[in-house]
Amino acid sequence: MHARFVTSTLTGSARAVKASVSRVPSLAFTTPVSRKLFHTSPWTLSVNAPEPAPTHSSSNPPMAFPCVDQLEQRTQRFLQSFDGGPEPSYSNPVSGYSLYQHNEPFLLDHGGILPKFEIAYESWGELNADKSNVILLHTGLSASSHAKSHPANTAPGWWEKFIGPGLAIDTNRFHVICTNVIGGCYGSTGPSSIDPKDNKPYATRFPIITIFDMVRAQFEMLSSMGIHKLHASVGASMGGMQSLAAALLFKERVGKVISISAAARSHPYSIALRFTQRQVLMADPNWNKGFYYDKVPPHSGMKLAREIATISYRSGPEWEQRFGRKRAQPATTPSLCADFLIETYLDHQGERFCLQYDPNSLLYVSKAMDMFDLSASTSAETAIRRAKNTLRLQEGKGSSAPENAATPPEEQAAACATGTSAAELKAKEMLQDDPKAQLNDLKQGLSSIKNVTYYELDSMYGHDAFLLEIINVGSAVKGHLELKE
C-alpha cells in the first residue's frame, strides 16, 4: 500500500493568507418551523411517538432497532431545538479565523456569479519581509481552515502534527496559510451563506463551482495581501487537486507544488462513489431540495453518505487487522443494526459527521471533485467557456479570468509526487481504473517539468495515510519544501 504526492517548483508570484475555523458542530436555526412540516417516512421521525410493538402472540418476538430509534430521537431533538434546544454545528464555527472579504462580483467557471464572497483563513509562522516564504495549504473536502492549533483556537487541527517548528512544514522557516474553500461551511461563502440579493441562505440557488473556482478565489485573497509568489502550494485529497490547479492557473506565482493522495482527474469509480453519496443524501425527505436551513436538516442522509465515503477512505488490510470479523457483542443474537465491529466503526463515523458539515456543501464540493480534469482538452474547453462568461461580469466590474488559465506548468518547475498503494483505494478504481494508471496520467501531465519527484509509500491506511503517516508523509513533504534550487 502506498501514498502519493506531487510537488512542483514553478516560477511566478503569489500571496499568503490567514485562516482559522474549527470543526465545531453547530447549525443555527433562526426561523421557527411548524410541526406540520414533518411527516412519517423511512428517513425521518414522526412527531408522534413510535408505535408500540404488537402484543399479540407470534412465533418470535419483534426485533429491536436502536439504529432507527436513534435517527428518530435526533429528529425529535431538532424539533425541540426550535424552542431553544441544541442545534447543529457548522453554521456557528468557533472563533479563531480571519476573513477575507471580496466585495466585487466573482465569475465562476460554469457561468454562475457570486455578488461577493468571503474566505475564512488561518495562518502560522512569521511572514518574511519580501513575503516570499508563504505556503498555501489546501484542505480536503470537509476540512476547515483549522489545520493547526494557535492561541485564538487551541483545539488540535486536522494536520496538527505536520505543522510547527521543525516539523514537516517548518513554521520557523515558512508562513503557512490555510483556507476554507468557497462552497464550504466553516466561514467561507457557501450554500448556507446569505445571498445579498434577498438576505436568505443561498441553499441550492448557490451556483455550481469548480476546483479552479476555489483556487482563483484563494489567489484573489493572496493578491489583496500583497503576496505575489508562493514558496509552495500544498494539499492532500481534494487539496491535492487544488495544489495542481494552482500550478496550472498561476504558474508564475507558485514556486513548488505538493500533491498528496490526489489525481490529475477524477476517474469513473470515484465519481460513482460520490454520486451515490449525493443520491443517498438527496433521498432524505428533510433535504427538501436544499431548503432546510430553518427546518430539520437531512441528518439521516448525511450519516449514510459519510458511511459510504468512509469505505473508500481506508483500506481492507487495515480493517482486517483492526476489526476482522469480530462482533461488538458476540454473546448476543445478531442484529440488523450495527453488529460487527466494522459496522459500529462506520456507524460512529456517520454519527460524528452528520451534524458537523453542511449537507449542501457536501453536494457542491463533491461535485467539484467529480468535474476536476487537468487534461489539455478539458483545460482548453474551460478557458473558452470562462472567456465567454466574462462578458457577464462587465456590468458588475468583477474579477476577470486569470491569465494563462489553460497553459500547463512551464519547464522551470519542479514537481514531487507521493502516494500509497492503499491510498489508491480512495478512488477505488479497481476494475474500471488502475490506481497506478492514474499516477501515470499525473506524471505524464508533469512531463514538461524538469524536476519531478514521485514517492510511493508503503502504508496500510489507504487514502487517509496523509493524516496518519507522520514520518513517511512528513519526511517527503519536508524534503521537497526545503530542497535548494
Side-chain angles (χ1 to χ4, degrees):
M1 303 131 199
H2 313 59
R4 305 171 174 179
F5 308 37
V6 176
T7 46
S8 117
T9 307
L10 310 177
T11 58
S13 51
R15 294 186 183 178
V17 182
K18 286 187 175 182
S20 99
V21 173
S22 164
R23 292 186 173 212
V24 175
S26 63
L27 173 58
F29 297 98
T30 56
T31 306
V33 63
S34 168
R35 277 151 172 75
K36 295 179 182 178
L37 292 168
F38 306 101
H39 55 275
T40 305
S41 79
W43 289 85
T44 61
L45 233 213
S46 168
V47 175
N48 300 320
E51 295 183 6
T55 55
H56 59 273
S57 60
S58 64
S59 300
N60 299 284
M63 294 185 69
F65 293 94
C67 52
V68 177
D69 296 339
Q70 187 177 43
L71 299 178
E72 294 176 346
Q73 291 164 7
R74 186 185 298 122
T75 297
Q76 292 293 344
R77 289 197 297 270
F78 273 111
L79 292 174
Q80 296 169 5
S81 76
F82 299 122
D83 299 319
E87 48 184 40
S89 36
Y90 45 85
S91 66
N92 289 323
V94 299
S95 61
Y97 58 85
S98 300
L99 276 179
Y100 162 70
Q101 296 182 325
H102 186 87
N103 293 317
E104 295 182 339
F106 185 69
L107 174 67
L108 302 171
D109 283 345
H110 285 278
I113 292 178
L114 292 177
K116 61 180 182 178
F117 68 83
E118 295 180 332
I119 292 181
Y121 67 92
E122 300 173 50
S123 63
W124 305 264
E126 293 296 323
L127 182 64
N128 62 13
D130 62 359
K131 300 183 180 182
S132 63
N133 69 332
V134 176
I135 292 176
L136 180 59
L137 179 61
H138 306 278
T139 73
L141 185 154
S142 60
S144 73
S145 59
H146 191 60
K148 171 77 175 181
S149 58
H150 53 81
N153 183 354
T154 57
W158 56 267
W159 237 24
E160 183 75 20
K161 296 181 180 180
F162 289 83
I163 304 169
L167 298 182
I169 301 181
D170 189 350
T171 51
N172 287 334
R173 306 175 64 153
F174 303 115
H175 179 66
V176 185
I177 298 167
C178 183
T179 76
N180 179 225
V181 298
I182 59 168
C185 59
Y186 293 125
S188 295
T189 297
S192 60
S193 301
I194 299 300
D195 183 346
K197 295 296 185 182
D198 62 4
N199 293 318
K200 295 180 180 179
Y202 281 105
T204 45
R205 301 176 303 167
F206 194 77
I208 289 291
I209 57 173
T210 66
I211 298 295
F212 296 103
D213 290 328
M214 299 172 186
V215 172
R216 291 192 298 113
Q218 291 172 327
F219 274 76
E220 291 284 353
M221 179 188 70
L222 293 175
S223 296
S224 73
M225 298 173 157
I227 298 168
H228 302 298
K229 183 175 182 179
L230 293 174
H231 176 76
S233 175
V234 179
S237 189
M238 186 184 79
M241 295 178 174
Q242 291 175 266
S243 65
L244 293 172
L248 182 70
L249 290 172
F250 302 98
K251 59 180 195 257
E252 298 299 329
R253 297 185 61 179
V254 179
K256 301 187 177 199
V257 172
I258 296 180
S259 179
I260 309 170
S261 293
R265 60 190 176 96
S266 286
H267 286 247
Y269 200 90
S270 57
I271 292 172
L273 283 170
R274 286 188 288 264
F275 171 76
T276 304
Q277 294 169 49
R278 291 193 296 270
Q279 290 291 293
V280 165
L281 171 53
M282 292 188 291
D284 186 333
N286 285 327
W287 180 62
N288 193 34
K289 295 185 178 179
F291 292 88
Y292 52 79
Y293 291 109
D294 58 351
K295 305 174 180 68
V296 174
H299 58 91
S300 299
M302 275 294 277
K303 177 179 177 179
L304 292 177
R306 186 61 170 186
E307 290 176 358
I308 294 170
T310 301
I311 294 171
S312 70
Y313 293 155
R314 306 302 273 265
S315 77
E318 179 204 0
W319 285 353
E320 182 67 39
Q321 178 177 306
R322 186 174 174 185
F323 304 116
R325 290 182 45 80
K326 296 176 183 176
R327 294 179 56 220
Q329 299 182 49
T332 63
T333 301
S335 167
L336 295 179
C337 288
D339 185 36
F340 287 95
L341 286 182
I342 183 58
E343 294 174 329
T344 64
Y345 171 77
L346 293 175
D347 184 75
H348 170 73
Q349 294 299 319
E351 281 291 316
R352 191 176 70 167
F353 183 76
C354 68
L355 302 182
Q356 283 188 344
Y357 196 68
D358 180 29
N360 281 338
S361 285
L362 177 63
L363 298 178
Y364 279 87
V365 177
S366 68
K367 184 64 177 181
M369 295 179 71
D370 288 352
M371 294 185 291
F372 183 68
D373 186 351
L374 285 182
S375 65
S377 59
T378 301
S379 296
E381 291 171 3
T382 300
I384 293 171
R385 183 172 59 249
R386 196 178 290 147
K388 289 180 178 179
N389 290 336
T390 300
L391 295 174
R392 301 184 60 191
L393 276 181
Q394 291 180 348
E395 294 181 4
K397 298 179 181 179
S399 306
S400 60
E403 296 181 2
N404 302 317
T407 307
E410 289 190 334
E411 295 205 1
Q412 304 97 301
C416 156
T418 314
T420 45
S421 60
E424 296 148 10
L425 291 175
K426 158 66 168 111
K428 266 200 159 205
E429 331 287 16
M430 295 181 185
L431 297 176
Q432 297 89 339
D433 300 285
D434 178 5
K436 292 192 176 181
Q438 295 181 56
L439 284 186
N440 287 330
D441 285 348
L442 187 52
K443 286 188 282 187
Q444 289 174 10
L446 297 172
S447 60
S448 65
I449 298 175
K450 287 184 178 179
N451 301 313
V452 177
T453 305
Y454 165 66
Y455 296 94
E456 187 169 310
L457 306 178
D458 193 22
S459 172
M460 73 160 57
Y461 296 113
H463 176 72
D464 279 358
F466 75 89
L467 295 170
L468 304 168
E469 291 279 5
I470 299 171
I471 295 177
N472 288 339
V473 174
S475 297
V477 169
K478 186 177 181 66
H480 193 74
L481 290 177
E482 299 178 9
L483 181 68
K484 298 296 182 182
E485 297 305 318

